[in-house]
Amino acid sequence: MSIKDIRHELERAADRKIIPEHRVVPLTILTVLEAGQQSFHKAYYGEILDKQIASVRAMDHVATDLALAKVEHTIQDLTKVRRMHQETHTTSDFPLALAQARDFAQRDAYTLPESDLIQFAFRRPAPNFKPLNATRPGVLSHRFAPIRPEATNIEYASFFQTEEGYTVSDVALALAFTWEMYVNDDLGAFTQAAAQLGVTFRATRAFTILDVILRKAGRIPLQNGELGPTTENLDEIAEWMAQRVDPTTGRRVARKPSDLFVGTKWERMARRSMESEYLVPTGGAGGPLAMRDNRNPVYQMANVHLEDMIADVLEEFPERYAGKGLSADDYIVMANGAQKPIELATLKGYEGGPKTFTRMVNVDETDLEGDFDNRGFALKVHDVVGADLRDPYAVAIAAGN
């Protein structure tokens, strides 16, 4: 549908006295901005939102009204659009479908096309922008509860939190819809740009998690790191993680790898290195006869996830990680993935994803003029997220060079 088509339909509604004539232009603009909102969210949520739209369309009006009443708080950024539909006596499946998609995005099964890391993040809401202490598991001063001798006082345990707090970050981008675009009927260009914003913000959530790993996780030095995740290197990685010690308590904090996040370059090698229970002998037959165990020490050691964002992030922000000596061929090793060693915090209200807001014209005349200063209208996307390591010993970076 073009902008001319939208305006024509609204002019017909004005002729039938459904809406006042002076509302035709503002409602046309708002419909254009709504198209941008829908394009953004469809790109951000992908198939999840498509399925929710189909589900809503199969519901009757009574079920839809009841469902909407329960999720009003999750779609307050669509208030203006919903008022428009009430004013024009039209309906839309989109608000309820978006609310359901945002609900699904808060579940543990939700992942992002750019990265599986979000599956291993413990999620929590943040009430404000004050520094947060990561909720680290296993931080009590006692390994076991002490047995209390009769008639003695209760012993109080101490607990440890991260000394360095972290905050959620305010992430926002606006997309202008100019007066010239309106006159030229460039609706397609606007909605395509909004869809690209959806992909960008989805990648930003994944980057938020990856960034804290690249900044805070220890780097495992490997003698032959340039060979990638070979059997020998993976065995060396497992040994390194098994020998870690907490400098604060002096305790051993041994961890067993459960997941590898590797780039496309190393994916097939990582899978091959762990798929066989027995190693195949290589090389010549010369030398003295010796007994050797040919069992694979890293057989099925970890699950393999594709993670190409490491190279992209290092290229995009070289100065941010300059002191870490990281390489685009590095890969991430995670232990105890089921315990979610990463933490992802979102400002309350943003748990299910970004919100979209629109800026309408501030000229009261009914003729199309747009914003008083620049004639523009705008769509703004807003997200507020932060991340930290819950268990700093469960995530490490393996040297790939």
Side-chain angles (χ1 to χ4, degrees):
M1 180 177 285
S2 67
I3 298 174
K4 291 180 181 178
D5 292 335
I6 294 171
R7 181 163 181 170
H8 178 66
E9 289 297 322
L10 290 167
E11 287 173 342
R12 290 182 59 190
D15 292 340
R16 297 195 301 270
K17 307 302 181 182
I18 296 175
I19 59 172
E21 186 158 351
H22 73 274
R23 292 290 292 156
V24 169
V25 170
L27 289 173
T28 301
I29 296 169
L30 186 53
T31 303
V32 170
L33 294 174
E34 179 194 15
Q37 286 180 302
Q38 292 197 19
S39 295
F40 170 85
H41 289 296
K42 286 180 178 179
Y44 184 89
Y45 293 103
E47 292 184 0
I48 293 173
L49 183 54
D50 292 337
K51 291 179 180 178
Q52 298 304 329
I53 291 175
S55 173
V56 171
R57 286 175 179 169
M59 300 168 63
D60 59 36
H61 291 298
V62 175
T64 300
D65 292 342
L66 290 174
L68 268 173
K70 296 179 180 179
V71 295
E72 291 282 351
H73 63 286
T74 66
I75 49 174
Q76 292 181 355
D77 52 322
L78 297 187
T79 300
K80 196 180 296 183
V81 167
R82 296 181 63 197
R83 286 175 181 168
M84 177 190 71
H85 288 292
Q86 292 174 353
E87 181 179 354
T88 56
H89 299 284
T90 57
T91 59
S92 173
D93 302 321
F94 186 75
L96 179 55
L98 176 60
Q100 293 177 342
R102 285 176 171 172
D103 177 69
F104 184 88
Q106 299 178 51
R107 303 176 188 177
D108 291 341
Y110 178 72
T111 188
L112 298 168
E114 290 77 9
S115 175
D116 286 347
L117 285 170
I118 195 172
Q119 290 184 341
F120 302 90
F122 171 81
R123 307 182 203 186
R124 62 183 291 200
N128 50 46
F129 292 97
K130 294 180 180 180
L132 302 170
N133 287 321
T135 55
R136 286 174 54 186
V139 294
L140 286 179
S141 56
H142 291 81
R143 288 183 182 271
F144 309 100
I147 298 174
R148 186 180 67 90
E150 185 178 354
T152 61
N153 292 335
I154 294 292
E155 183 177 348
Y156 285 82
S158 58
F159 62 94
F160 306 98
Q161 290 182 304
T162 52
E163 296 180 2
E164 178 186 353
Y166 74 102
T167 60
V168 291
S169 300
D170 190 340
V171 182
L173 279 175
L175 187 64
F177 184 77
T178 65
W179 180 75
E180 290 79 6
M181 292 173 68
Y182 183 98
V183 173
N184 294 338
D185 205 357
D186 287 337
L187 178 61
F190 178 67
T191 54
Q192 289 172 16
Q196 187 57 49
L197 266 184
V199 176
T200 298
F201 270 77
R202 195 176 61 203
T204 302
R205 279 231 168 174
F207 162 72
T208 301
I209 301 172
L210 178 59
D211 172 66
V212 73
I213 294 174
L214 296 181
R215 287 188 295 107
K216 291 190 173 184
R219 191 168 188 257
I220 306 173
L222 299 171
Q223 292 183 350
N224 298 303
E226 72 282 358
L227 299 179
T230 62
T231 300
E232 292 76 14
N233 281 339
L234 292 179
D235 191 30
E236 190 175 339
I237 287 170
E239 179 67 18
W240 186 88
M241 296 194 78
Q243 299 297 330
R244 300 196 76 179
V245 174
D246 186 335
T248 304
T249 63
R251 293 178 179 174
R252 181 180 292 180
V253 284
R255 301 289 187 268
K256 182 180 179 180
S258 62
D259 296 87
L260 289 181
F261 299 81
V262 300
T264 300
K265 177 180 179 179
W266 299 132
E267 183 189 17
R268 289 176 298 165
M269 177 183 292
R271 296 186 189 280
R272 285 198 307 268
S273 297
M274 296 183 290
E275 69 181 359
S276 298
E277 187 173 358
Y278 294 93
L279 300 175
V280 178
T282 59
L289 180 65
M291 297 297 294
R292 181 178 177 181
D293 186 355
N294 67 337
R295 284 178 295 186
N296 186 351
V298 296
Y299 172 59
Q300 296 184 346
M301 180 182 80
N303 300 309
V304 178
H305 306 265
L306 188 62
E307 185 56 76
D308 278 322
M309 281 189 66
I310 296 176
D312 296 337
V313 168
L314 293 179
E315 181 180 357
E316 185 74 16
F317 307 104
E319 296 181 358
R320 187 173 180 84
Y321 313 103
K324 294 276 291 185
L326 301 175
S327 162
D329 292 331
D330 288 356
Y331 47 99
I332 296 170
V333 184
M334 182 181 294
N336 304 334
Q339 297 183 17
K340 300 185 181 300
I342 306 166
E343 181 169 291
L344 178 68
T346 52
L347 192 66
K348 190 172 182 181
Y350 291 81
E351 295 92 339
K355 294 186 177 183
T356 53
F357 302 90
T358 58
R359 184 182 68 192
M360 289 292 290
V361 299
N362 57 7
V363 174
D364 292 332
E365 285 78 3
T366 57
D367 190 20
L368 173 65
E369 180 64 19
D371 183 83
F372 192 89
D373 295 319
N374 55 34
R375 287 182 163 179
F377 329 113
L379 169 68
K380 182 180 72 172
V381 183
H382 194 196
D383 201 4
V384 196
V385 293
D388 201 2
L389 299 181
R390 296 180 72 211
D391 184 351
Y393 304 108
V395 185
I397 301 169
N401 61 354

